[in-house]
Amino acid sequence: MTLPILPTAIVGSYAMPGWLERLKTDYFARRISRHDLDEIYDAAVKAAIKDQETAGLDVITDGELRRDNMVDYFAERLPGVQIDRSSKKFYYDFYDSAVVGKLPMASMGLVQDFTFLNTFTDRVPKFCVTGPHCLTKRIRNQFYPSEEAFATDIARVMNMELKALVKAGATFIQIDEPYYSGFPEDLAWGVNVINTLVEGVDARIAVHICYGNRYGKPSWEGSYRYLFPTILKAKVQQLTLEFARRGGEDLDLFKEFNAPFELGLGVIDVKNTDIETPDMVAQHIRKALEVMPAERIHVLTDCGCFHLPRDVTFAKMKAMVEGTKIVRKELGK
Amino acid sequence: MILKLNHLKVKAAATTQGVIEAVYALVEEGLIDQGQFARLQVELDWIQYKSNFREAVTATQGYNAFGQPAPIMDVHVDTRQVVPETLRGDLLRAIHRAQSGAEEDACRLPLEEFQSLRSSIVWKFNRFFWRHLLAWEAATGQGYDKALPGGSSDGHNPRAIADDVAEFLDLLCVLRSKNQLPAEVNLLEIGVGNGSRCAQWLDKFHELDQQRGTSLYPHVCFYMGDYSEDTLNKARLTVAKHIDQCRFVQVDAINPIKSLAHLRHKILQVHLTNVYDNLPDEEVVRRDGKLYFVQVRAYVPTAAVNSIGGKYGIPAELFRDRIYHMLEAGFDSFGGPQHGVPFWQELWAAMRLEERLVQLEDLPEFPFPDGLDAGKLEDILQDAPTDFRFHLSSGALESFIRTLPLLHPRGYMQVFDIFVTDLAQYRTGFFGPGKLDGSLLNWVNGALLKEVAQREGYDVHFRPFKYRANTHTSILYTTRRE
């Protein structure tokens, strides 16, 4: 499957409907069964896929609607991680989770969710995973001598899972590492961990680095300058960064450091319900074209749309698609 | 009958005994029927505000949305006002009045229809007070802050300011050490009054910044927010020596982000003192597993209409019109504030609220404040008492929810106010509405704010205000939730 120039996509999560939030909480309160919840997830994911396709996106995710948050979905699946299931009151809270011994090599069961996505779209599917650095910040380490050692072992387990995803047909995998921006001092070992994670994984690999999106709000502020030049050692194809909310000043870093990556260009602010116009989107893309050819740019939301209302998310996606069409036309593509 | 004692103040035992005797006597005499007696809930309150909206005995009938009486009735006895000799008569009149559901009552001049407290005329009076504060102060001969417990605003407490400045400077140093200090260090105070807290705060910050050699004072950008331009102009003079560090913005306390949208996620500290307790509010009653919305109607007792009207030459039939005219046009019809203000003060002192309870699930149009809906309220009430009356704190909640997005990821918000920090607290006292000078006062449902904020991604803590003994003030402290 070939992608058009300036392919469009959301970063990962789709709008989480209020009714699904309540049903997730109902599951925690033992008011509905796991079987019912899984059926509800299937229906919700199909709707999210359909919305993305109808809006005209080229790359499709499952909307991450099965996930309570970006950590617990993986913490629950990582073999050897202990979870206190009584530790959260609201589904979006984080579990109190801990690692107390060496992580064994075992499947995380992500293939099933990817296969579901792949079955219900004929466009390019993108599967997103939370990166090891982020997971070490939320899972208490009671065994490894350092965060780096813990993260490296997570990468070792997840590497096997990413290879399984590729075997199941995944061609595009995104790794989410929002905590880099809060802990820039970890970046050097963080990049090594990414390289362990993607070693031998035959797919387009993107790394998404933002300033946090917990509850739809940034967790940190600053400049992407901290990424450079260390990030250049990452063996990935794409860096996916937020620019719509923060402005495009940091785009010049790609030129300054001659970064070889594709750019996942955030053109939609997911921390604000105001809907961008296609012209605003086009303007963001034109600015990026000053530092990079169109062939290396993917047009994206700044981050996941988890906290946006569904109608707002849909309208933002439509604006993103229309704005991209304007630039494609200008480029004669 | 259920009898609830909501306080342990003086006279509690004697009054309780008196109420029980009076109610039983009325039943034995056939003046209250047994069915009515069975569903009666009598609450004994101690209303700490000398001036308030309650009569000594108030009865509140429950209704469904179709106007049919529901089988609940609350009777509130203000043990501070009650006189043993008249208790029996007061009880009987209150119950019969509520039971009959009479729209017309020769003893009262209603000023409006039954409606949400939030939209009641009493809030027009509250706005009128702030608009004509100078006239009120001239008449009373003292500033409004003298009416506050302790005689001044807790926000101006020098030790509280010093501690806050030190904590804030520490935060800035941490951010600088991580290379995350913004170029402009934005702060916001909503409801700046005469600006003296800002001035004290900036004095202290400048001093500490120099002592520590941190050189952060030039980066400070202090947004002083108030709804009144006149107030901001006064505040401008108070902070004259820090003028380069100050910005002056007209802010609607209920919707701060409307005028400050450009500062979304950019403010490192937001401060409010005694703003939330003076924002429009509603009350809700939870009884027998159902929720009832408290509707109110403001009225003036006919006796007060006659005495005040006689004194100011206002015939009873024109009394209501003159009130509305005053609220719209000021004191012109009185020949100026000299006569208008005393009329206003006497009227405000006489004004009361009658209440009725309307079942909430029959009100699909119920105006939930931003941040709250029926589902969330249901979740929040899961661990709450099954039988109690609480504030929805609509204005405070909206203000809070519409201020939080302004906070920088490492910023914090502090609110000095009177908070109910646990829903169970509502069963142990009266928390408003009361009158403070010409303004309205409600304790703020901090427990509700906390739950709603958590869903929005913020942690809320309450600290006691340790800088003044015997104060009810506490500090709501909010930071981003991980």
Side-chain angles (χ1 to χ4, degrees):
Chain A
M1 235 172 300
T2 53
L3 287 170
I5 197 146
L6 300 171
T8 52
I10 54 174
V11 155
S13 64
Y14 194 62
M16 177 64 71
W19 55 264
L20 187 52
E21 293 192 302
R22 287 189 67 80
L23 288 165
K24 281 172 180 271
T25 304
D26 280 350
Y27 170 69
F28 282 112
R30 304 286 186 271
R31 287 192 283 262
I32 62 170
S33 69
R34 182 75 227 183
H35 175 78
D36 284 349
L37 185 64
D38 285 340
E39 282 200 350
I40 290 161
Y41 280 154
D42 287 353
V45 169
K46 284 181 202 171
I49 292 169
K50 186 70 182 168
D51 270 13
Q52 292 172 73
E53 290 181 345
T54 306
L57 300 188
D58 304 301
V59 178
I60 307 294
T61 76
D62 70 351
E64 300 179 10
L65 298 178
R66 299 174 198 274
R67 307 178 187 187
D68 288 351
N69 53 56
M70 68 182 304
V71 172
D72 289 353
Y73 177 81
F74 295 93
E76 281 182 304
R77 285 164 173 76
L78 267 174
V81 172
Q82 295 185 350
I83 304 253
D84 176 0
R85 291 191 185 274
S86 65
S87 58
K88 67 176 177 182
K89 181 175 160 194
F90 182 56
Y91 85 93
Y92 189 59
D93 294 341
F94 291 123
Y95 277 128
D96 181 10
S97 55
V99 60
V100 295
K102 185 169 171 60
L103 294 176
M105 292 294 284
S107 167
M108 295 171 68
L110 303 182
V111 169
Q112 192 183 338
D113 288 350
F114 169 75
T115 303
F116 187 90
L117 165 65
N118 205 20
T119 303
F120 286 96
T121 185
D122 52 10
R123 300 191 191 176
V124 174
K126 176 170 74 169
F127 198 79
C128 306
V129 297
T130 301
H133 178 263
C134 177
L135 294 173
T136 58
K137 295 297 178 192
R138 300 299 327 181
I139 301 171
R140 272 185 298 117
N141 172 19
Q142 296 179 351
F143 173 75
Y144 291 95
S146 65
E147 278 190 329
E148 180 181 358
F150 179 26
T152 303
D153 235 14
I154 293 177
R156 194 173 52 84
V157 176
M158 287 182 74
N159 173 263
M160 188 177 80
E161 197 68 21
L162 297 196
K163 285 175 179 166
L165 285 168
V166 171
K167 202 170 170 186
T171 55
F172 195 166
I173 295 171
Q174 179 183 292
I175 301 158
D176 297 330
E177 286 291 17
Y179 280 62
Y180 282 175
S181 297
F183 302 89
E185 63 276 16
D186 296 348
L187 187 64
W189 64 257
V191 169
N192 291 338
V193 167
I194 288 283
N195 290 341
T196 303
L197 175 64
V198 301
E199 193 178 340
V201 178
D202 185 18
R204 172 186 263 126
I205 305 285
V207 178
H208 170 62
I209 303 165
C210 62
Y211 279 82
N213 192 21
R214 186 93 177 126
Y215 292 98
K217 295 165 187 79
S219 300
W220 304 281
E221 291 291 358
S223 155
Y224 279 127
R225 182 163 284 280
Y226 80 89
L227 288 174
F228 294 90
T230 314
I231 199 71
L232 300 176
K233 293 179 192 156
K235 294 172 185 165
V236 301
Q237 284 72 48
Q238 187 179 114
L239 285 191
T240 296
L241 308 177
E242 62 168 308
F243 289 106
R245 182 182 68 86
R246 304 177 57 255
E249 290 80 17
D250 290 344
L251 281 168
D252 289 337
L253 292 165
F254 274 77
K255 202 171 183 177
E256 185 182 333
F257 289 92
N258 196 21
F261 309 111
E262 291 175 347
L263 170 63
L265 175 73
V267 297
I268 296 290
D269 182 357
V270 297
K271 298 179 176 77
N272 194 328
T273 53
D274 295 344
I275 294 158
E276 291 81 354
T277 62
D279 280 340
M280 289 162 72
V281 170
Q283 244 175 321
H284 282 302
I285 301 171
R286 287 188 203 109
K287 194 167 168 64
L289 286 170
E290 291 171 14
V291 299
M292 189 170 286
E295 289 71 19
R296 281 173 52 202
I297 297 175
H298 284 223
V299 180
L300 304 174
T301 51
D302 264 357
C303 194
C305 303
F306 192 96
H307 299 284
L308 288 172
R310 191 191 148 276
D311 57 335
V312 171
T313 303
F314 189 74
K316 281 179 177 264
M317 289 192 306
K318 293 268 285 182
M320 183 165 72
V321 169
E322 292 306 315
T324 305
K325 281 182 185 167
I326 293 172
V327 181
R328 282 179 188 153
K329 199 172 172 188
E330 288 169 1
L331 295 172
K333 307 280 182 175
Chain B
M1 182 182 78
I2 296 170
L3 182 69
K4 287 175 66 182
L5 289 112
N6 297 333
H7 70 94
L8 292 170
K9 297 273 192 225
V10 288
K11 295 206 297 183
T15 314
T16 308
Q17 194 179 348
V19 168
I20 293 171
E21 281 174 7
V23 172
Y24 270 112
L26 293 172
V27 174
E28 282 167 8
E29 292 164 27
L31 295 168
I32 297 177
D33 70 48
Q34 293 209 353
Q36 181 68 61
F37 175 75
R39 59 192 167 91
L40 211 55
Q41 177 152 315
V42 182
E43 305 204 13
L44 270 60
D45 296 312
W46 173 271
I47 300 186
Q48 67 268 46
Y49 307 104
K50 280 181 189 160
S51 178
N52 63 68
F53 297 100
R54 290 260 181 98
E55 301 206 357
V57 178
T58 308
T60 307
Q61 175 69 49
Y63 290 90
N64 64 23
F66 308 106
Q68 297 154 335
I72 70 159
M73 181 186 282
D74 289 354
V75 174
H76 296 274
V77 179
D78 178 6
T79 56
R80 183 154 154 167
Q81 287 192 65
V82 79
V83 178
E85 294 74 31
T86 60
L87 175 61
R88 183 178 182 282
D90 290 342
L91 267 169
L92 192 58
R93 270 192 300 278
I95 291 171
H96 281 177
R97 181 180 286 125
Q99 211 169 16
S100 69
E103 289 294 314
E104 299 296 325
D105 185 335
C107 299
R108 296 174 173 186
L109 175 68
L111 301 181
E112 59 192 357
E113 297 299 316
F114 275 104
Q115 58 194 286
S116 149
L117 173 60
R118 185 175 187 170
S119 59
S120 166
I121 192 175
V122 293
W123 289 104
K124 287 197 174 82
F125 273 91
N126 187 69
R127 284 193 290 278
F128 189 76
F129 173 72
W130 294 113
R131 204 160 60 234
H132 296 278
L133 179 62
L134 290 178
W136 182 286
E137 288 178 337
T140 58
Q142 62 176 29
Y144 78 93
D145 53 348
K146 294 292 172 215
L148 294 167
S152 66
S153 167
D154 286 328
H156 297 173
N157 185 292
R159 285 196 300 132
I161 288 175
D163 282 356
D164 180 51
V165 165
E167 190 180 334
F168 188 69
L169 197 52
D170 287 345
L171 169 68
L172 298 187
C173 292
V174 169
L175 288 175
R176 184 148 69 181
S177 72
K178 294 189 161 199
N179 206 22
Q180 291 177 347
L181 186 70
E184 284 190 333
V185 172
N186 296 314
L187 296 99
L188 168 67
E189 181 173 345
I190 298 172
V192 290
N194 61 15
S196 71
R197 181 191 172 272
C198 297
Q200 282 187 66
W201 196 97
L202 285 163
D203 283 347
K204 193 69 199 169
F205 186 88
H206 196 199
E207 181 191 322
L208 198 61
D209 186 43
Q210 285 184 325
Q211 271 175 22
R212 293 195 191 175
T214 39
S215 306
L216 286 162
Y217 177 78
H219 297 272
V220 167
C221 210
F222 204 128
Y223 285 83
M224 299 173 66
D226 205 283
Y227 77 100
S228 153
E229 201 169 342
D230 289 345
T231 304
L232 289 173
N233 285 335
K234 274 188 220 157
R236 194 187 301 269
L237 299 175
T238 314
V239 293
K241 68 176 169 177
H242 300 290
I243 200 74
D244 290 341
Q245 263 49 59
C246 295
R247 310 283 181 274
F248 303 87
V249 279
Q250 270 186 287
V251 171
D252 173 3
I254 291 188
N255 196 1
I257 199 161
K258 190 175 174 187
S259 45
L260 297 168
H262 61 293
L263 293 173
R264 183 185 285 267
H265 306 314
K266 289 185 180 166
I267 299 185
L268 279 157
Q269 187 197 98
V270 179
H271 177 92
L272 298 95
T273 297
N274 295 130
V275 174
Y276 285 0
D277 61 12
N278 188 234
L279 294 179
D281 199 358
E282 329 261 6
E283 284 185 278
V284 175
V285 170
R286 191 186 210 193
R287 182 88 69 243
D288 302 333
K290 294 192 175 91
L291 291 176
Y292 294 86
F293 172 36
V294 180
Q295 289 191 335
V296 302
R297 179 166 72 173
Y299 69 92
V300 183
T302 309
V305 171
N306 293 333
S307 67
I308 299 170
K311 193 169 170 185
Y312 295 93
I314 305 170
E317 64 274 17
L318 295 178
F319 198 82
R320 185 166 36 198
D321 291 345
R322 285 293 291 275
I323 292 172
Y324 276 92
H325 187 265
M326 180 189 78
L327 292 174
E328 290 296 323
F331 306 115
D332 289 353
S333 61
F334 295 91
Q338 195 181 353
H339 294 107
V341 174
F343 167 78
W344 169 28
Q345 290 176 323
E346 287 174 48
L347 170 67
W348 180 243
M351 198 181 295
R352 298 280 180 271
L353 288 172
E354 55 188 315
E355 300 176 344
R356 66 182 185 187
L357 307 179
V358 181
Q359 202 174 321
L360 196 54
E361 64 192 23
D362 290 332
L363 288 173
E365 300 299 317
F366 181 74
F368 277 106
D370 263 15
L372 193 65
D373 56 37
K376 277 187 192 164
L377 183 60
E378 195 181 298
D379 286 348
I380 289 166
L381 292 176
Q382 266 181 6
D383 300 326
T386 53
D387 194 355
F388 77 129
R389 175 174 171 143
F390 61 97
H391 288 120
L392 212 51
S393 295
S394 319
L397 187 57
E398 288 190 347
S399 176
F400 190 47
I401 290 301
R402 292 167 177 170
T403 304
L404 290 172
L406 295 170
L407 279 183
H408 181 280
R410 290 289 169 263
Y412 62 92
M413 177 168 172
Q414 52 177 210
V415 185
F416 291 14
D417 224 313
I418 41 177
F419 289 105
V420 174
T421 56
D422 180 342
L423 290 177
Q425 229 177 307
Y426 275 111
R427 302 189 75 173
T428 61
F430 176 84
F431 297 98
K435 298 176 189 171
L436 187 71
D437 265 6
S439 70
L440 214 73
L441 194 72
N442 273 303
W443 284 59
V444 182
N445 189 340
L448 183 67
L449 262 60
K450 180 175 179 168
E451 290 286 339
V452 172
Q454 280 185 346
R455 294 286 183 273
E456 298 284 328
Y458 296 88
D459 280 322
V460 170
H461 307 281
F462 294 96
R463 297 175 180 168
F465 187 79
K466 62 183 180 185
Y467 307 99
R468 186 165 63 83
N470 302 319
T471 177
H472 288 304
T473 298
S474 48
I475 304 174
L476 176 154
Y477 187 84
T478 312
T479 52
R480 284 282 314 279
R481 188 161 202 243
E482 282 304 321

